[in-house]
Structure formats: C-alpha cells, structure tokens
C-alpha cells in the first residue's frame, strides 16, 4: 500500500494551519506526523486531515490544548456532549464578562467626555466601576436597599447619574491638577 503523504508545508496549506503550528502540536504530543522521510522530515497522511479538522474545531470552540489532547486520546459521544455543554456555559460566562468590560469602557468614555485625565485616575475609575457588583453585594448584607441605591447612585436616572459622575470627575481632576502644581490645602 503506497499511501500519499504530505510534507509539512503541503499539509499546512491543505489544512489551513501554519507549519509552525504543526511543529508545535508535534512537540506538545497533540498531533504527531504519521511518519518521517529518509531525511527525518515530518510526513502526514489523509487520516491526519481528519484529526487536524477535529483539533481546529475544538480550538474554535475554545477548548484548551490539554482538553483537545484528552478528547483525541479517548473520544466517546456522551463525554463530548457533556463537554460541549460545559464549554457552552463557560463561553456564555466569558461573553457576559466581556460585555461587562465593554460596558465599563463605554461608561468611562461617557463620564470622561472631553476631560483630559491622568492615566492613574482613569484606571482608578475603571477599577471602581469594575468592583460595583462586589460593593453592592457587600453592602446588601449590611444596609437597606434604598440606602444602597443612593450610595451607588441607582436612584438617579442614567442621564442624572452621568451628569453627577462627570461633575465629580471634573472636581477630582481639578484637585489632582492643583496637587501637581504644589498648591497646598491651607494658604500661608
């Protein structure tokens, strides 16, 4: 049986991955070539195409290389179905986290408007927004809901809240500017 074999370059082109990726997968034990030629160069078979398609698909679904290796070592349908459900839940959670980050950036952009901010102040604002959920959970064990809503400005409309946050930012930014100029709190 004289099966057609593909060089690394030909196999990479055929499967849409880079040669570097094939070398990496070989080193990691994820997908070794079917054989080697007399010069020690990697050779891939038609069966390797199917394996590579599985790897590409699982990577697309967000699986780690270790999870892909585990699947390739012992793949049965029930295990894969459970794994897909867990992966879907993990990706949904990641999407929720990414949406929260995008919303945080959008909110910071709206608050900043045309204000020229020091990068440390900008990062402090982002950190504060990032921790709002944790702050609300912590406060909910200690204070009434109406107090929490006032403390976190949730009693305001989105426009009123944005106006208040912009005003506070302008004040903090001005104070920071005065500190950099060396203006003391108490005139002498």
């Amino acid at each position: 049986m004289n099966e057609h074999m593909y060089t690394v370059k030909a196999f990479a082109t055929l499967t849409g991955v880079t040669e570097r990726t094939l070398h990496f997968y070989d080193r990691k034990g994820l997908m070794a070539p079917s054989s080697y030629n007399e010069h020690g160069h990697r050779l891939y078979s038609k069966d390797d195409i199917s394996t590579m398609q599985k790897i590409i698909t699982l990577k697309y679904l967000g699986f780690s290389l270790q999870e892909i290796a585990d699947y390739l070592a012992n793949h049965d349908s029930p295990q894969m179905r459970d794994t897909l459900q867990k992966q879907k839940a993990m990706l949904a959670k990641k999407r929720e986290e990414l949406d929260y980050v995008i919303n945080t950036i959008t909110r910071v952009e709206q608050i900043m408007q045309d204000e020229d901010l020091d990068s440390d102040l900008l990062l402090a604002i982002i950190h504060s927004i990032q921790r709002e959920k944790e702050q609300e959970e912590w406060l909910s064990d200690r204070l009434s809901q109406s107090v929490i809503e006032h403390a976190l400005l949730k009693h305001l409309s989105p426009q009123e809240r944005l106006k208040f946050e912009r005003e506070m930012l302008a004040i903090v930014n001005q104070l920071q500017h005065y500190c950099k100029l060396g203006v003391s709190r108490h005139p002498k």
Side-chain angles (χ1 to χ4, degrees):
M1 179 170 94
N2 193 3
E3 182 181 5
H4 179 73
M5 301 300 281
Y6 301 94
T7 63
V8 170
K9 184 174 185 165
F11 191 74
T13 301
L14 182 67
T15 58
V17 299
T18 65
E19 293 177 46
R20 185 175 179 182
T21 298
L22 291 173
H23 292 285
F24 178 74
Y25 287 172
D26 186 13
R27 280 194 311 276
K28 292 293 183 183
L30 189 61
M31 183 177 161
S34 291
S35 64
Y36 295 86
N37 67 14
E38 61 276 0
H39 301 293
H41 297 126
R42 296 169 173 90
L43 296 173
Y44 294 90
S45 69
K46 287 183 181 181
D47 290 338
D48 292 329
I49 295 171
S50 173
T51 302
M52 181 54 69
Q53 287 172 338
K54 290 174 187 173
I55 292 170
I56 291 169
T57 302
L58 292 169
K59 264 185 78 42
Y60 168 77
L61 293 173
F63 285 78
S64 70
L65 292 182
Q66 184 57 55
E67 291 168 328
I68 294 171
D70 292 345
Y71 170 78
L72 292 174
N74 50 8
H75 63 285
D76 54 23
S77 293
Q79 179 188 14
M80 182 49 127
R81 189 170 298 138
D82 292 343
T83 303
L84 281 176
Q85 289 172 349
K86 289 176 187 172
Q87 192 70 9
K88 181 180 177 183
M90 189 267 311
L91 289 170
K93 183 174 176 16
K94 187 180 272 189
R95 179 179 57 200
E96 182 180 308
E97 291 168 358
L98 288 172
D99 286 342
Y100 190 76
V101 171
I102 290 168
N103 290 335
T104 297
I105 292 170
T106 301
R107 185 168 159 203
V108 168
E109 289 172 336
Q110 291 172 340
I111 294 169
M112 286 175 36
Q113 204 171 16
D114 297 325
E115 200 73 35
D116 187 26
L117 297 182
D118 175 76
S119 61
D120 288 341
L121 180 57
L122 180 60
L123 292 175
I125 293 167
I126 293 170
H127 180 75
S128 176
I129 293 171
Q130 179 185 9
R131 298 287 178 235
E132 278 182 351
K133 284 182 183 178
E134 293 171 21
Q135 293 167 357
E136 186 172 1
E137 289 173 10
W138 186 84
L139 289 171
S140 69
D141 293 338
R142 292 157 178 81
L143 300 172
S144 71
Q145 190 60 36
S146 66
V147 171
I148 294 169
E149 286 179 10
H150 277 76
L152 298 177
L153 307 176
K154 291 188 175 206
H155 66 291
L156 300 175
S157 72
Q159 296 82 9
E160 292 172 321
R161 182 178 180 176
L162 181 59
K163 181 181 177 200
F164 179 82
E165 290 172 331
R166 284 178 178 162
E167 290 170 358
M168 289 292 94
L169 177 63
I171 292 168
V172 170
N173 201 24
Q174 191 65 45
L175 287 171
Q176 189 177 38
H177 176 70
Y178 288 145
C179 287
K180 285 181 181 177
L181 292 175
V183 176
S184 65
R185 294 186 308 183
H186 306 289
K188 295 181 183 181

